[in-house]
Amino acid sequence: MSDSELYGDNDEFDSIYANEDIEHLINVGELLKTKSLDELLKNDQWRTQEIDSKINWYHGKISRESSESLLKEGLAKLGTVDGLFLVRDSTSSPSDFVLTVTSSAKIYHFVIKEAYSGHYQIDDGVIIQGLEKLISYYESDANGLVTRLHQFCGGEPPPYQARLEGATNILHRAVLEGNPDLVGKILNHPLCPNVNSKNQLGTTALHDCCRYGFEAVAQLLIEHNADVHVKDKQGLTPLQRACAANQSDMIPILIKKGKANAQTRSPKTGWVAMHDAAMRGNKECIQALLEFHTPKMPRAEDGSTPLDLASRYGRYDCIQLLSPQNSVTALTKKADWFHPDLDRKDYKDCLVHFIDDGPYFESLESLIEHYSRQADGLSTKLLVSVSTNTIRPDLPPRPADDIIDDDLYALAEDSRGTANPPPLPASHPPSSKTVQQKQAEPLQKLESLEDCKKIRSKDIVLGNEIGQGEFGAVRKGQLKTKDGPLSKKKTTVAIKTFHKDVENSGALQSIKREAGLMHMLNHTCIVQLIGICEEPFMLVEEFVPLGSMLDYLQDHEKSIPVKPTLYLWAAQIASGMQYLESKKVVHRDLAARNILVESTKQVKISDFGLSRAYAEESNYYKASKGGRWPVKWYAPECVNYGKFTHATDVWSYGVTLWEMFTYGEQPYGDLKGIEVIQLIDSGKRLDKPEKCPEIVYQKMKACWEKDPHLRPTFNDLHNHFEEDPEYSCTRDVMKRNKKSVK
Ligand code: ADP
Ligand code: MG
């Protein structure tokens, strides 16, 4: 059987790669060794024109009359056809278009409105992202229009800003090679493609360049009129891409040289670049943005500020940078602003200076300063301004969040006062050499990558991005494996890719540890690691189609019943954790965001980035150095002593249950890490979610017992979920699942 027969099924990856000749898969730099640039660019232009020939219905700024005479000419040539059409610019609004179409020998004009950034709509019809996608929707069916769009009067392809996707050209490819000489040659060539055109994945050359941090290439692109405002398929500008990918050196280039606007929002979330940086914990990007006087407190569609996101994702470095008390503008009484005793949302009550839905500011002065720098959507007048009297001047300064990172023990003292320091475990402090050595040996052995299956990069076909991990994008893909002596098969997989700078950093160790750990594990309720690719370094995992449980809960609340679905998932997570316990693995990051949904009948535990196998002789893993700390999921002894055990995983399991029964609410709302620690200390716990049965809430509360010995074990939890008559509905499904695996 030939490869094309084997791989010819209709699949999204094939649509990306299928029509491309071999030449298209080779590096441009490589191709230039045998071909002239002239020749390459001519071929490329021809290829792009061929792809675009299907959407040559755009006629730019022609008048209504000209559009009618063009269609009449067409009708005369073709005979009376319905659905002969063209698209032109709207004369009244620069971002709108007009569809002119024939039906029953009459000519109609419909306004195509830009409903919101890059999304188009005719009358009350569906809103579709990408002008070409909207037209193709009405080409497939009339869908309420006078007629189906049938044939167009030839013009040119629509402008890049309005398009969702385009043809990947030589420039896109050369940019990904990160070679400024090569990119420069192409940009200076008369046959250079439009510098702003989008590729098959809906990004421009500048987007890709920002994402991978090729500074010299970015400079060149901007000098050649690359548009810094254009949005990619995800609705992100190049600046947002750079901030999401932690490419802080791109920020001055984009803002200073390219005049990029850091306040541009993503159409669906309302996030600006600062949100992207804060959510992913990209501290250098936040710093760089602040240097350009970017507001600290822009508000997303749901009101979230970057500080909220940083708290939500436990990005402690960023929390410190984003806290109003660390304002660049000097505040006379900055110590007065914050205190852990403030009620939730209080910091926003203090930051009451804002205009419309613009950023919050900590002072009227900084608001005025911001709006004197740029209009930023301001129309004419201040809509809301509340007096500063709401600030409580009597409060002592709040301890900085980052002490949790830097010094766990200092936190224990700071937050409780030094009079009665809590007893510390015998092995404290962690500098004790014997303790470290004892742990190091067995860990190295357990985490070795030697037995891990190695995968060659040529057997991997990378597909769309499905998520952003801490160290790089997670992409869907295909793995080719031998099925027999002559045949191959393809398996859909998830591929964790890594930013190029990760390899040189300490993070790689943690990733390799993740791989070594996952490869020891094999359980239905745990995401399976299939193997690793060493060059470039990638982890290949079982693909779990419905993605993160947190998103799934939020998006499908109506179709996820408490019984049987949530009960079943709870049982499965307990079962997976019980298995981890049997393998002496402490997860350390059990949370709804790290559970993946295969189907409503099966969820799987993932994300072992923070997990550690721990040595036989020591019954817990003790963190000697802070990292990203999801404090809201942590038991008090994790935060206070850096002590992680199965019992602390049980605490996190309780919080995960709470997330499930609230359908993805944020535990403790907007409270900050330090405030949560104090709340727990005072004996309070999360409230019972509305839809949560009392019996489940009792289990949750048991998981949050202060004394770890009083918490249930995963064994108890699993037995409870499987055996309790209340849960009998889950038992059958669990049994069925077990059978189908073995
Ligand atoms: P990190 O721990 O670095 O944040 P994750 O493992 O949580 O990375 O992955 C980030 C996102 O990618 C997840 O939330 C999920 O949406 C997606 N993802 C990760 N692994 C898989 C997988 N095996 N199958 C499907 N989607 C996955
Ligand atoms: Mg994760």
Side-chain angles (χ1 to χ4, degrees):
M1 223 192 282
S2 77
D3 265 15
S4 63
E5 279 172 270
L6 274 168
Y7 303 125
D9 54 351
N10 187 16
D11 180 282
E12 63 186 285
F13 304 106
D14 294 320
S15 64
I16 295 172
Y17 295 99
N19 296 330
E20 297 176 2
D21 48 11
I22 295 296
E23 195 169 272
H24 205 71
L25 297 172
I26 302 175
N27 270 359
V28 182
E30 214 38 52
L31 285 173
L32 280 175
K33 289 181 185 158
T34 52
K35 281 199 173 149
S36 72
L37 183 59
D38 228 52
E39 209 177 335
L40 281 186
L41 284 169
K42 264 184 206 146
N43 279 344
D44 196 52
Q45 194 179 50
W46 176 83
R47 202 178 149 274
T48 303
Q49 280 169 357
E50 166 127 328
I51 292 172
D52 281 352
S53 65
K54 297 177 192 86
I55 52 170
N56 276 340
W57 31 250
Y58 175 67
H59 289 254
K61 257 191 192 359
I62 58 170
S63 66
R64 185 185 173 101
E65 292 70 39
S66 320
S67 73
E68 290 189 355
S69 40
L70 271 172
L71 288 188
K72 277 179 198 153
E73 250 171 61
L75 285 182
K77 265 191 212 142
L78 299 164
T80 323
V81 278
D82 274 358
L84 184 66
F85 73 99
L86 61 83
V87 176
R88 59 188 169 89
D89 289 345
S90 152
T91 45
S92 51
S93 161
S95 52
D96 294 347
F97 298 90
V98 177
L99 168 69
T100 308
V101 60
T102 63
S103 175
S104 312
K106 279 199 192 118
I107 294 177
Y108 297 85
H109 301 268
F110 297 97
V111 174
I112 304 176
K113 255 206 113 34
E114 186 180 39
Y116 55 96
S117 160
H119 292 67
Y120 298 93
Q121 182 180 33
I122 297 179
D123 285 339
D124 293 331
V126 287
I127 297 176
I128 291 178
Q129 190 183 7
L131 185 58
E132 83 274 26
K133 302 286 173 192
L134 180 95
I135 295 299
S136 120
Y137 172 75
Y138 288 106
E139 280 174 332
S140 68
D141 190 284
N143 288 312
L145 213 61
V146 282
T147 166
R148 177 174 83 87
L149 302 182
H150 188 66
Q151 230 175 327
F152 56 80
C153 284
E156 50 185 298
Y160 69 89
Q161 298 94 330
R163 279 177 82 160
L164 186 63
E165 293 158 2
T168 304
N169 60 39
I170 293 261
L171 181 64
H172 293 124
R173 293 165 54 201
V175 162
L176 286 178
E177 287 163 40
N179 174 349
D181 290 345
L182 175 59
V183 173
K185 275 188 200 139
I186 297 177
L187 287 169
N188 287 318
H189 195 282
L191 289 177
C192 176
N194 183 337
V195 66
N196 292 314
S197 53
K198 288 182 178 172
N199 64 19
Q200 284 149 309
L201 300 174
T203 67
T204 68
L206 187 60
H207 279 105
D208 285 345
C209 167
C210 287
R211 184 160 174 184
Y212 293 101
F214 303 133
E215 294 149 43
V217 177
Q219 306 257 18
L220 278 171
L221 289 170
I222 293 175
E223 280 159 23
H224 285 81
N225 302 322
D227 182 349
V228 296
H229 307 292
V230 65
K231 293 182 177 182
D232 67 8
K233 199 169 178 174
Q234 267 75 46
L236 303 182
T237 61
L239 183 69
Q240 287 172 304
R241 273 288 167 214
C243 287
N246 203 13
Q247 304 293 357
S248 57
D249 292 341
M250 284 294 163
I251 294 172
I253 301 176
L254 289 167
I255 297 187
K256 242 166 127 175
K257 197 175 172 101
K259 304 272 173 283
N261 180 359
Q263 294 300 98
T264 306
R265 296 173 179 226
S266 298
K268 283 174 191 148
T269 53
W271 285 17
V272 302
M274 191 73 94
H275 286 102
D276 290 292
M279 185 276 233
R280 300 218 162 75
N282 298 337
K283 168 178 125 194
E284 288 82 11
C285 289
I286 296 180
Q287 263 155 349
L289 287 170
L290 290 175
E291 275 163 32
F292 287 98
H293 308 283
T294 310
K296 266 185 186 177
M297 296 276 171
R299 286 180 289 161
E301 202 71 350
D302 64 354
S304 300
T305 64
L307 181 58
D308 295 331
L309 296 179
S311 313
R312 174 156 193 197
Y313 290 88
R315 313 296 193 189
Y316 286 95
D317 291 354
C318 302
I319 291 178
Q320 206 209 1
L321 279 173
L322 291 166
S323 291
Q325 77 219 60
N326 290 325
S327 182
V328 187
T329 340
L331 282 169
T332 40
K333 278 191 168 182
K334 64 178 177 184
D336 300 344
W337 285 87
F338 262 79
H339 188 269
D341 290 345
L342 279 180
D343 277 336
R344 49 184 289 186
K345 294 203 173 85
D346 260 11
Y347 86 91
K348 284 179 188 165
D349 294 342
C350 294
L351 300 170
V352 282
H353 306 281
F354 60 92
I355 296 176
D356 208 2
D357 63 347
Y360 289 118
F361 291 93
E362 55 267 57
S363 69
L364 208 50
E365 287 82 350
S366 47
L367 179 145
I368 302 289
E369 189 182 332
H370 171 69
Y371 287 103
S372 62
R373 275 181 214 283
Q374 55 174 292
D376 192 14
L378 197 65
S379 47
T380 47
K381 56 181 180 185
L382 300 177
L383 298 178
V384 183
S385 163
V386 182
S387 100
T388 51
N389 295 341
T390 47
I391 300 160
R392 293 164 56 180
D394 52 331
L395 297 173
R398 155 181 170 276
D401 287 288
D402 72 332
I403 50 179
I404 294 171
D405 266 2
D406 297 343
D407 192 339
L408 298 167
Y409 305 98
L411 171 73
E413 289 176 4
D414 267 27
S415 63
R416 292 145 195 263
T418 39
N420 265 326
L424 295 170
S427 53
H428 173 79
S431 53
S432 149
K433 257 200 177 148
T434 46
V435 174
Q436 296 216 317
Q437 278 162 359
K438 249 190 193 168
Q439 287 188 354
E441 269 172 276
L443 280 179
Q444 267 166 14
K445 211 167 143 208
L446 280 172
E447 293 163 4
S448 139
L449 276 177
E450 270 160 36
D451 307 325
C452 206
K453 187 179 159 49
K454 303 287 187 311
I455 293 170
R456 296 169 306 178
S457 64
K458 65 171 188 176
D459 290 331
I460 298 173
V461 182
L462 287 173
N464 292 347
E465 182 175 320
I466 47 176
Q468 273 292 336
E470 191 182 352
F471 306 110
V474 181
R475 294 170 69 169
K476 193 175 172 182
Q478 298 278 303
L479 176 66
K480 301 176 200 169
T481 45
K482 275 217 162 89
D483 201 20
L486 289 172
S487 63
K488 282 185 171 180
K489 70 170 182 188
K490 275 195 312 181
T491 322
T492 301
V493 289
I495 301 157
K496 279 197 160 177
T497 64
F498 297 93
H499 298 311
K500 66 176 168 43
D501 51 335
V502 169
E503 300 232 5
N504 315 324
S505 72
L508 195 64
Q509 274 321 103
S510 130
I511 295 155
K512 289 194 167 160
R513 194 184 299 120
E514 177 176 356
L517 227 156
M518 281 180 80
H519 127 263
M520 309 188 316
L521 309 171
N522 180 1
H523 190 272
T524 332
C525 301
I526 291 178
V527 175
Q528 184 69 47
L529 177 75
I530 298 171
I532 65 162
C533 172
E534 290 192 299
E535 215 24 72
F537 189 77
M538 297 187 274
L539 298 182
V540 179
E541 293 174 8
E542 161 191 17
F543 174 66
V544 189
L546 304 181
S548 128
M549 179 173 79
L550 181 63
D551 297 335
Y552 197 85
L553 286 163
Q554 291 167 349
D555 297 346
H556 298 87
E557 171 161 359
K558 296 218 171 65
S559 56
I560 310 172
V562 166
K563 276 184 201 174
T565 309
L566 290 186
Y567 279 34
L568 175 66
W569 291 359
Q572 289 171 339
I573 299 166
S575 160
M577 291 306 294
Q578 194 191 1
Y579 171 81
L580 281 190
E581 181 165 356
S582 76
K583 294 286 176 191
K584 304 197 179 307
V585 171
V586 178
H587 189 290
R588 302 216 316 166
D589 199 7
L590 183 59
R593 62 180 172 274
N594 289 330
I595 306 289
L596 298 177
V597 183
E598 183 176 82
S599 71
T600 49
K601 297 200 167 45
Q602 183 68 60
V603 294
K604 290 170 185 261
I605 301 166
S606 87
D607 206 343
F608 294 82
L610 290 177
S611 305
R612 303 287 188 282
Y614 66 99
E616 277 304 357
E617 58 264 49
S618 151
N619 66 346
Y620 64 84
Y621 172 80
K622 196 147 88 44
S624 55
K625 226 172 113 211
R628 235 175 11 113
W629 278 52
V631 167
K632 289 183 172 183
W633 282 261
Y634 276 180
E637 69 267 27
C638 305
V639 181
N640 294 335
Y641 316 121
K643 180 174 169 175
F644 292 89
T645 61
H646 303 303
T648 63
D649 273 352
V650 165
W651 182 291
S652 313
Y653 176 85
V655 181
T656 308
L657 281 181
W658 187 91
E659 291 180 275
M660 289 164 64
F661 285 86
T662 54
Y663 292 90
E665 266 182 42
Q666 160 80 343
Y668 311 98
D670 292 337
L671 283 198
K672 300 170 159 304
I674 190 98
E675 294 160 350
V676 172
I677 293 164
Q678 295 198 331
L679 180 136
I680 295 295
D681 245 14
S682 72
K684 293 197 188 114
R685 295 293 183 265
L686 286 162
D687 290 335
K688 185 175 95 63
E690 202 183 300
K691 293 196 182 155
C692 179
E694 190 54 41
I695 180 172
V696 179
Y697 186 56
Q698 289 313 321
K699 275 289 148 198
M700 275 181 210
K701 290 231 289 218
C703 295
W704 304 325
E705 281 286 351
K706 189 177 163 74
D707 179 351
H709 299 101
L710 297 179
R711 294 173 206 156
T713 63
F714 283 116
N715 201 12
D716 298 338
L717 286 161
H718 183 220
N719 285 343
H720 171 87
F721 278 77
E722 244 197 352
E723 302 304 335
D724 192 293
E726 274 267 320
Y727 295 83
S728 59
C729 53
T730 66
R731 214 180 306 148
D732 296 345
V733 187
M734 294 281 279
K735 274 193 196 131
R736 241 181 287 137
N737 279 350
K738 268 184 202 156
K739 266 189 217 142
S740 64
V741 175
K742 296 287 156 197

